[in-house]
Amino acid sequence: MSGKPRLTYLNGRGRMESIRWLLAAAGVEFEEVYLETKEQYDKLIKDGFLLFQQVPLVEIDGMKMVQTRAIMSYIAGKYNLHGKDLKERALIDMYVEGISDLMQMILMFPFSPPDAKEKNLESIKERATNRYFPVFEKVLKQHGQDFLVGNKFSWADVQLIEAILAVEEKVPAVLSGFPQLQVFKTKMSNMPTIKKFLQPGSPRKPPPDAHYVETVLKVFKK
Amino acid sequence: MSSKPKLYYFDGRGKMESIRWLLAAAGVEFEEEFLETRDQYEKLLQGGSLLFQQVPMVEIDGMRMVQTRAILSYIAAKYNLYGKDLKERALIDMYVGGTDDLMGFILIFPFLSAEDKEKQHAFIVQKATSRYFPVYEKVLKDHGQDFLVGNTFSWADVHLLEAILMVEEKKSDVLSGFPQLQAFKARISSIPAIKKFLEPGSQRKPVPDDKYVETVRRVLCMYYDVKAN
C-alpha cells in the first residue's frame, strides 16, 4: 500500500464523493481505482477486499475501510476536522447526519423511474428549503461565526458546502432565501484546499449522467 | 432537564431501540416520553426541540440530540464503548455500519404490504446468513477473543447482539451455521447489564405490532407505502 489513501469506486460521485471532498478539504492527496466491469467487482469480493461485499472501499493506514460513515469519521478524526471534544463532535455528527439524509435523496435521484423524477426533484427542493437549509442558516446567524461548529473549520462545513452545490445543480435559486448560506458558500469556496478541488482537473466528479447510471447497474447486476 | 437521559419516541422499537440497548448496556438509567398523538408531535415541533423535525430525540447532558447515529456515537464515547484509539473506533464504526444496514431491512418490515413482507423476510435471512453473519463469525474465529474489537466490550458487541436477536425473531435457527456467534450470543447476553435488559419489565420494546404501525402512521401522517429492498 502506497502512502496515499486509495479509493475504489465507480468513476462518478455516488457514495464516494463525500469522501473525496473530505480528503481534498483536508489537503490529502489520494489515488483512485475505478470499477468499470462486473468482473472487476466480483474479483474484489473474491479476493476478500470488501468486508460486506460493497464499495466504497478506502485503503488507508494499513486498513481496508468500508462503510462510508466509518471512513469519513476516521478521516475527520485523523485530520482534526471532528471538533475538539465530545460535545463538538456530537454537534458535527448531528449536522453531518442531517445533511447526509438530504444527500441521500440526491444520490438516489438518477435511479428513479422517469415518471417519478419530477416528484423527487420537488421533494429535494422542499426538504432543502424547509427542513435542512433553515437549520444551518439559523446556526450561522446565531453565532455569527464563519464555521458551523466551534469557530473552526470541520467536517460539518465540508459536508454542507458539498450539499449546497449539489442542490444548486438541481435547483439553481435554492439559496435565494438564505443570506447566511450564500456568504458561507462563498467563504468555503475560497478556502485554498476547497478552491483547488472546485477547479477543473481535480478529482471532483461531475453530476451523474446516463453512462454513470448504466455502469452502476452493470457492475452491481446480480 | 433531568440528570437522566430522556428519550422521545413512539412506544416501540424503531430507530430508538439501538439507543435503548446501548444506554442499558452502559448501565445508564433513562426516562422515556412516548409519542401517541399527532398533537404531541406538533407541540415538539413548534417548541423547536427537533432539529430536523424528526425523532428519535434524546435530551442528554444539556443537549437535545437528534440523528440516531450521532446519539449512539456520543453515548458510546461517553461510556468508553468506542475503542481506545482512532483505529479501534474505525473498526467499531465499520462493524456497526454492517449491523445497522442489516437491522435497517428489519426496521421497515412492519410497514410493508403483506406480499412484500414475504419477499423481505427471505431477503433479511439471505443477507444475514450470506453477507453479515459470516463477517462477524470470522472476526471472532480469527482472534479468538470474547469481544469484537480490542478484547474489550464495545458498542459493536451490543449492536451485534441486538441484530442477532432481531434476525432470530424472524428465523429462530438462523445461527445454526455460526458456532462463534452462538457462543458470542450466550456470552454477551449474560453480561449483567444486558441480562437485566433482556428480562421482562425492562425498557426493551417488543416486536412491532399493528398498533405500533398505526401509531407511527398517525403521528407522522405517514400513509404512503414503504418499498421493500
Side-chain angles (χ1 to χ4, degrees):
Chain A
M1 210 180 285
S2 90
K4 294 184 196 172
R6 186 158 74 172
L7 281 48
T8 301
Y9 201 68
L10 298 112
N11 187 1
R13 290 185 182 177
R15 292 189 187 285
M16 189 63 97
E17 193 71 353
S18 295
I19 295 169
R20 296 181 184 109
W21 265 93
L22 192 55
L23 285 168
V28 178
E29 275 181 39
F30 53 90
E31 296 171 358
E32 300 201 69
V33 171
Y34 298 125
L35 291 181
E36 257 130 30
T37 67
K38 187 173 190 307
E39 289 68 39
Q40 261 177 295
Y41 173 56
D42 287 343
K43 184 166 194 299
L44 270 178
I45 293 176
K46 194 158 140 278
D47 294 346
F49 272 66
L50 306 180
L51 190 67
F52 300 113
Q53 301 154 18
Q54 296 165 317
V55 285
L57 164 69
V58 174
E59 293 166 274
I60 183 169
D61 298 338
M63 299 182 286
K64 289 181 171 65
M65 286 201 74
V66 297
Q67 290 287 328
T68 314
R69 259 192 208 95
I71 295 165
M72 291 207 281
S73 267
Y74 180 76
I75 296 166
K78 181 177 178 181
Y79 295 101
N80 296 309
L81 295 169
H82 214 168
K84 71 178 196 299
D85 57 29
L86 217 49
K87 282 206 168 178
E88 282 194 356
R89 207 161 92 196
L91 265 180
I92 290 168
D93 282 348
M94 278 195 277
Y95 295 164
V96 159
E97 289 293 309
I99 298 165
S100 161
D101 284 349
L102 176 60
M103 294 293 283
Q104 176 75 5
M105 297 174 80
I106 298 177
L107 187 92
M108 300 307 298
F109 183 81
F111 301 93
S112 39
D115 58 357
K117 279 205 156 71
E118 201 183 312
K119 191 179 67 146
N120 290 342
L121 184 59
E122 199 42 52
S123 291
I124 291 168
K125 181 180 177 188
E126 194 273 328
R127 279 286 143 91
T129 318
N130 296 328
R131 179 171 287 192
Y132 296 106
F133 288 175
V135 169
F136 303 107
E137 179 78 7
K138 184 177 182 211
V139 166
L140 291 167
K141 183 156 197 221
Q142 283 190 331
H143 62 42
Q145 292 162 3
D146 285 355
F147 306 108
L148 285 171
V149 178
N151 207 10
K152 189 166 175 280
F153 183 56
S154 79
W155 176 16
D157 301 300
V158 184
Q159 193 67 88
L160 181 56
I161 179 76
E162 182 193 357
I164 285 172
L165 296 180
V167 178
E168 275 188 332
E169 278 168 354
K170 301 219 154 327
V171 188
V174 73
L175 284 195
S176 60
F178 302 103
Q180 299 283 333
L181 291 182
Q182 291 173 35
V183 170
F184 176 85
K185 176 193 163 187
T186 307
K187 284 203 179 118
M188 291 307 118
S189 304
N190 285 321
M191 292 189 65
T193 50
I194 294 184
K195 191 171 186 188
K196 189 170 169 210
F197 188 64
L198 291 174
Q199 275 157 3
S202 85
R204 189 184 184 211
K205 301 296 175 270
D209 58 11
H211 173 71
Y212 171 75
V213 172
E214 219 178 276
T215 311
V216 170
L217 296 174
K218 182 177 71 175
V219 169
F220 299 120
K221 192 167 70 154
K222 291 191 222 314
Chain B
M1 211 178 283
S2 93
S3 56
K4 290 187 197 169
K6 188 167 174 184
L7 280 48
Y8 292 77
Y9 201 67
F10 313 102
D11 185 4
R13 290 184 181 177
K15 287 189 190 286
M16 188 61 98
E17 193 70 354
S18 294
I19 295 169
R20 298 183 183 107
W21 266 91
L22 191 55
L23 284 168
V28 177
E29 278 182 36
F30 55 91
E31 293 171 0
E32 300 196 72
E33 186 162 309
F34 298 124
L35 292 181
E36 257 128 35
T37 68
R38 175 83 193 165
D39 268 354
Q40 263 176 296
Y41 174 58
E42 287 190 350
K43 232 166 137 215
L44 271 180
L45 283 175
Q46 275 148 34
S49 321
L50 307 180
L51 190 67
F52 300 114
Q53 303 156 22
Q54 297 164 315
V55 286
M57 190 269 277
V58 174
E59 286 173 342
I60 183 169
D61 298 338
M63 299 182 286
R64 286 195 169 85
M65 286 199 74
V66 296
Q67 290 291 336
T68 313
R69 221 36 187 288
I71 296 165
L72 288 168
S73 281
Y74 180 77
I75 296 165
K78 182 178 177 182
Y79 295 101
N80 295 310
L81 295 169
Y82 217 168
K84 70 178 196 300
D85 57 29
L86 214 53
K87 281 202 168 180
E88 283 194 355
R89 207 163 93 198
L91 266 180
I92 290 168
D93 279 342
M94 279 196 277
Y95 295 160
V96 162
T99 38
D100 195 43
D101 285 346
L102 177 57
M103 287 200 275
F105 307 140
I106 301 176
L107 191 88
I108 62 169
F109 188 85
F111 298 91
L112 300 174
S113 66
E115 186 194 328
D116 279 350
K117 273 189 168 119
E118 213 183 298
K119 267 195 296 178
Q120 188 78 351
H121 188 278
F123 179 83
I124 289 164
V125 172
Q126 193 260 333
K127 282 279 175 303
T129 52
S130 66
R131 176 171 289 189
Y132 296 103
F133 288 172
V135 169
Y136 305 102
E137 180 78 8
K138 181 173 195 280
V139 166
L140 292 167
K141 184 159 197 221
D142 283 352
H143 63 42
Q145 292 163 4
D146 285 355
F147 307 109
L148 285 171
V149 179
N151 209 11
T152 308
F153 181 55
S154 80
W155 174 20
D157 302 302
V158 182
H159 215 246
L160 176 58
L161 177 61
E162 183 190 358
I164 284 171
L165 296 182
M166 281 183 86
V167 179
E168 276 187 329
E169 280 166 352
K170 297 250 166 280
K171 187 171 195 284
S172 55
D173 64 349
V174 74
L175 283 194
S176 61
F178 303 100
Q180 298 283 334
L181 292 182
Q182 290 173 38
F184 174 86
K185 174 191 162 190
R187 222 162 39 233
I188 307 300
S189 302
S190 62
I191 292 174
I194 295 194
K195 186 163 190 222
K196 190 167 166 212
F197 188 64
L198 291 172
E199 274 158 12
S202 82
Q203 283 161 297
R204 187 185 183 209
K205 301 295 176 272
V207 178
D209 57 12
D210 288 338
K211 177 166 181 274
Y212 170 74
V213 172
E214 219 177 277
T215 305
V216 174
R217 288 196 186 284
R218 181 178 67 238
V219 171
L220 297 183
C221 290
M222 193 180 93
Y223 294 107
Y224 54 82
D225 290 325
V226 176
K227 280 197 261 316
N229 285 98

